[in-house]
Amino acid sequence: MNPFLALFVPLLILGFVYILIIDNKGLPQWLEQLSDNSGTIWIYGVITITVLSILKYVSGN
């Protein structure tokens, strides 16, 4: 069941975003604003993943 969810949920999200782009004939305004800050999002994403990995390692799981 978990591999199914691991594949299905991201594909569902990507499909939803694709439909939004097609319906609006371009990126929605909120997505354009989000893409302007993509560098910041990447940095915070990498920091979050790193911190969670360290916490998982320290907790011993």
Side-chain angles (χ1 to χ4, degrees):
M1 184 66 141
N2 288 338
F4 174 74
L5 289 176
L7 293 174
F8 181 71
V9 172
L11 288 176
L12 186 66
I13 292 170
L14 287 174
F16 179 69
V17 170
Y18 179 74
I19 289 173
L20 280 175
I21 292 171
I22 294 299
D23 283 347
N24 292 332
K25 296 181 179 44
L27 291 174
Q29 184 65 28
W30 63 271
L31 198 55
E32 286 182 13
Q33 291 174 352
L34 188 66
S35 67
D36 289 340
N37 299 326
S38 65
T40 306
I41 292 171
W42 274 102
I43 291 171
Y44 284 127
V46 169
I47 291 171
T48 302
I49 290 170
T50 304
V51 168
L52 290 174
S53 298
I54 291 170
L55 288 175
K56 183 176 179 182
Y57 177 75
V58 169
S59 71
N61 289 333

